[in-house]
Every structure is written in C-alpha cells, then in structure tokens.
Amino acid sequence: MRKPIIIGNWKMHKTCKETIDFIQEVEPYLNDHCTYGIAAPFTALKDACNHAQKLVVAAQNCHYEDHGAFTGEISVGMLKETGVTYCIVGHSERRQMFNESDEAVNLKVKALLANGIIPIVCVGESLEAFESGKTNEVVEGQIAKDLKDLDTEDIKKLVVAYEPIWAIGTGKSATKEIAEATIATIRQAIAKMYGDVSEEVRIQYGGSVKAENIKDYLAMPDIDGALIGGASLKADSFKAIIEATK
Ligand code: 13P
C-alpha cells in the first residue's frame, strides 16, 4: 500500500557537474519497486531537476518565511522554482549545528505543504537518550511538535525519517528490530494526533544504510524506505542499493 521511498541525502557534497554525472549514470538503473531520489545542495537543485526523469529531487532545508531579511536563507517559493518535489526538514545535523527547533520544523512543514512540496521530517534520539531507554519519549515529543496543527489530508503526503543520531555516519546501524519498533511508535504517535491516516505516512529509516543492509529494513512492516547519507554519494554504491531493493 505504501510505496517505499529511498532518498540519498548528499549533505554538503557535489557540484552541479557532479550532480548531472551522477543522475545520468543512475537513471537507467531505476525501477518501479520504490521511489528513488536525491537531496542535493541548493546550488545543484535546478540542474538536478532538469536532468532527472525518474529520480525525485529534494532540497535539504528551507526557510519558512516567503521572503525577508534572512541572509543566506532560501524560501520555499525559491525552491519551488527549481522544480523540487521534496524537502528534508529537521535533520539532526541542522538541529545540532544550526539550532533548528521543533517549532521551526513545524513552520517549515506548513510552508512546504502550502506550496505543494512534500516534507521529509527527520526525528531521532541521541546516543545518551538511546542508552537510557528514552528513544520513544524523544521521538514522540518531536512528532507532537513537528507535526502540530496540520490538515489530516496533508498528513497522508508526509514522509518521516527516523534517524537515530548515534547511527548517522558511524557505521553503527540500528538493528532492523529496533528501527521497526521505533518506527511503529512514530506511526502510533501520528495516529494519536490524526487517526487512521497515519497508515498512509511513509516512514523511512536512516543511519548507515547501505546495499548490504537495505533489504533487511525494507522487509519490516512499518519501514517504508531509507534516507541514506554516505552510501548515496557514489553512483556505483547507489546503483548497488537500487539493485538490492528489487
Ligand atoms: P549515513 O547514511 O551516512 O549514516 O547518514 C544518514 C543520514 O544522515 C541521512 O540523512
């Protein structure tokens, strides 16, 4: 019922030329089992959208205001002009390094939905919270704030990514059982707020996903894809991931 969605989050990697080369190399390998996409840096989004056919293109951040004195920021309207259809919000790197709050994430989600761009809302706990058994508490709190006051119809379109911070870029991935349990908790938290539409929300796992483990995650009932950092950067590695999802 929910089509899995696999997005490569490139973070601060790739020039325009590198982006185009990657897309041209990967496009012929795409299949219809999943939705595949890339979250490219702002500067490469327009080129990415012009060259991608099957791949969906996501931004990695946005500002929630339409315009104004926000030096260095990019509005949702500006993103829309590039042709992107998705935008990551609340990635833990932005929460930790750029002080992105749940309140800001909520405003960004609303601005994106109002402009027809699908938010990929990232949540996840620190190592400390994980080790002290507070994972559910943390993700439930984030969901309650990040998805506050939305239209039920809009909830269906959302993508949520569960990314335990301790599994990002560490090579230490959450087991498929841990990922499944937390993602089921996230779905229940959405159900508590919005009811049965929670069944339509695609919830990804992210954190050291690669060709060798993606199948395990996709086999779990509540896991609807992956948000992939390091292993999405090389076309060969991304092609191996695509191959593994068949
Ligand atoms: P890695 O796949 O490199 O662990 O990164 C995960 C991530 O942060 C995706 O958004």
Side-chain angles (χ1 to χ4, degrees), residues 32-231:
D32 292 323
H33 296 282
C34 304
T35 300
Y36 301 94
I38 49 165
F42 286 134
T43 45
L45 290 176
K46 195 157 186 171
D47 278 325
C49 291
N50 286 343
H51 287 81
Q53 288 172 340
K54 272 191 156 182
L55 275 175
V56 298
V57 180
Q60 300 174 14
N61 182 33
C62 64
H63 198 282
Y64 49 82
E65 294 287 355
D66 290 342
H67 41 70
F70 303 105
T71 302
E73 292 293 311
I74 303 283
S75 74
V76 175
M78 294 167 188
L79 287 184
K80 203 171 170 184
E81 192 185 38
T82 67
V84 300
T85 44
Y86 290 81
C87 179
I88 297 173
V89 287
H91 191 281
S92 60
E93 285 153 15
R94 296 214 58 85
R95 292 182 191 257
Q96 290 185 313
M97 291 184 245
F98 303 98
N99 299 321
E100 190 163 323
S101 65
D102 287 307
E103 290 68 30
V105 171
N106 182 244
L107 291 169
K108 292 179 185 198
V109 168
K110 287 175 180 158
L112 288 163
L113 288 168
N115 282 279
I117 297 178
I118 300 173
I120 302 172
V121 184
C122 301
V123 298
E125 81 287 6
S126 64
L127 181 62
E128 194 190 354
F130 174 70
E131 286 178 338
S132 54
K134 297 212 170 95
T135 298
N136 287 353
E137 194 182 310
V138 170
V139 297
E140 283 165 351
Q142 289 172 321
I143 290 293
K145 290 180 189 157
D146 297 353
L147 305 187
K148 201 172 146 195
D149 298 332
L150 303 180
D151 281 350
T152 306
E153 277 306 303
D154 281 339
I155 292 292
K156 296 179 189 172
K157 302 174 195 154
L158 280 185
V159 178
V160 174
Y162 167 55
E163 299 206 310
I165 297 168
W166 48 270
I168 295 177
T170 57
K172 260 197 282 171
S173 48
T175 62
K176 60 182 193 294
E177 291 82 10
I178 288 178
E180 168 64 21
T182 310
I183 286 174
T185 300
I186 290 169
R187 200 177 298 288
Q188 282 157 19
I190 300 172
K192 231 187 258 174
M193 299 167 80
Y194 296 103
D196 287 348
V197 287
S198 64
E199 289 300 319
E200 293 180 52
V201 180
R202 291 163 293 170
I203 311 183
Q204 304 171 303
Y205 166 73
S208 301
V209 176
K210 46 189 190 241
E212 292 76 17
N213 61 15
I214 190 154
K215 246 193 170 125
D216 294 340
Y217 294 113
L218 291 184
M220 304 308 274
D222 277 291
I223 304 183
D224 307 315
L227 191 55
I228 307 173

Side-chain angles (χ1 to χ4, degrees), residues 2-21:
R2 297 182 302 258
K3 187 172 182 176
I5 176 164
I6 310 225
I7 303 279
N9 175 13
W10 285 353
K11 309 189 180 184
M12 200 170 72
H13 293 280
K14 292 201 194 290
T15 61
C16 295
K17 182 181 181 313
E18 288 165 346
T19 300
I20 295 167
D21 289 348

